[in-house]
Amino acid sequence: MLVTKEPVAFASHTFDPTAPPADMPPMAVGESAQCDSNFLSRASVRGQPRRTDPTHAIVTITQVRVSLQLQINIWIPASATQVIAEHEEGHRQISEYYYQTADKLAQRIASTYIGKRVDITGTDLDAECAKMLLQTANDITAEYDRRLNPNPVQLLYDDITDHARNGVIAKDAVEHALKNAAIEATQPATSSGS
């Protein structure tokens, strides 16, 4: 098993709100800036097939490789205040916090597949084996994406700061969101609806 974690790829962009660049993701209504964090993962899986008859085999997974990357782009209007810039930096800090241990999460997930045996059936066992290994790689990637999930913390951070509109210091809000997202995410919503 091999997990490769690339360094964070970060870029900060300023833009004219009246003419946003084509490569900028769309912003939600009421937003003036954005931190776009893209957690990328790709798994590849190898296995050893053992034919039991001409149309059946058992494949033992022998190797899993996972590559990870985090791409962060902050988009801030040229006229943005320092408060808005600090708010978007807070989103970046939350994403990087999750990425710090992303390799350990990927290792835990991948390790559960090593040695796993899968029955395959078909007239072309080589094609069936390749299809099963690809599906297993996709399953590993999907599980990583599901379990990493920084979204509850990002949403709590935006609730705490009202998207940089209520004067709460970004650094304090990041700390609170990281410590309390699991607790507060299970509480009934008290959003003002904005």
Side-chain angles (χ1 to χ4, degrees), residues 100-121:
Q100 285 175 5
T101 57
D103 53 336
K104 300 206 179 353
L105 174 61
Q107 286 172 346
R108 283 194 307 273
I109 293 167
S111 69
T112 65
Y113 287 84
I114 300 293
K116 184 176 181 181
R117 294 172 182 233
V118 180
D119 293 322
I120 59 170
T121 304

Side-chain angles (χ1 to χ4, degrees), residues 22-157:
D23 60 339
M24 181 177 145
M27 286 195 286
V29 175
E31 292 289 308
S32 62
Q34 183 177 96
C35 179
D36 180 37
S37 296
N38 192 3
F39 290 85
L40 304 171
S41 61
R42 190 175 70 75
S44 63
V45 178
R46 290 189 181 174
Q48 182 64 46
R50 184 177 57 80
R51 292 176 191 263
T52 55
D53 66 41
T55 60
H56 296 85
I58 299 169
V59 180
T60 303
I61 296 180
T62 57
Q63 183 181 67
V64 176
R65 292 178 180 233
V66 182
S67 60
L68 307 174
Q69 186 178 23
L70 172 57
Q71 297 174 342
I72 301 174
N73 285 284
I74 292 182
W75 300 89
I76 299 178
S79 60
T81 65
Q82 185 63 30
V83 170
I84 291 173
E86 288 171 2
H87 176 81
E88 297 309 320
E89 181 63 27
H91 281 295
R92 173 187 175 187
Q93 291 169 10
I94 291 167
S95 292
E96 289 181 354
Y97 174 85
Y98 273 80
Y99 193 61
Q100 285 175 5
T101 57
D103 53 336
K104 300 206 179 353
L105 174 61
Q107 286 172 346
R108 283 194 307 273
I109 293 167
S111 69
T112 65
Y113 287 84
I114 300 293
K116 184 176 181 181
R117 294 172 182 233
V118 180
D119 293 322
I120 59 170
T121 304
T123 56
D124 185 346
L125 289 176
D126 289 338
E128 292 301 320
C129 181
K131 186 166 65 172
M132 183 278 299
L133 293 172
L134 179 59
Q135 182 58 52
T136 301
N138 291 339
D139 292 347
I140 291 168
T141 298
E143 185 174 352
Y144 168 82
D145 292 345
R146 180 183 60 77
R147 289 177 55 187
L148 183 69
N149 194 12
N151 291 339
V153 175
Q154 297 285 15
L155 292 171
L156 178 58
Y157 174 70

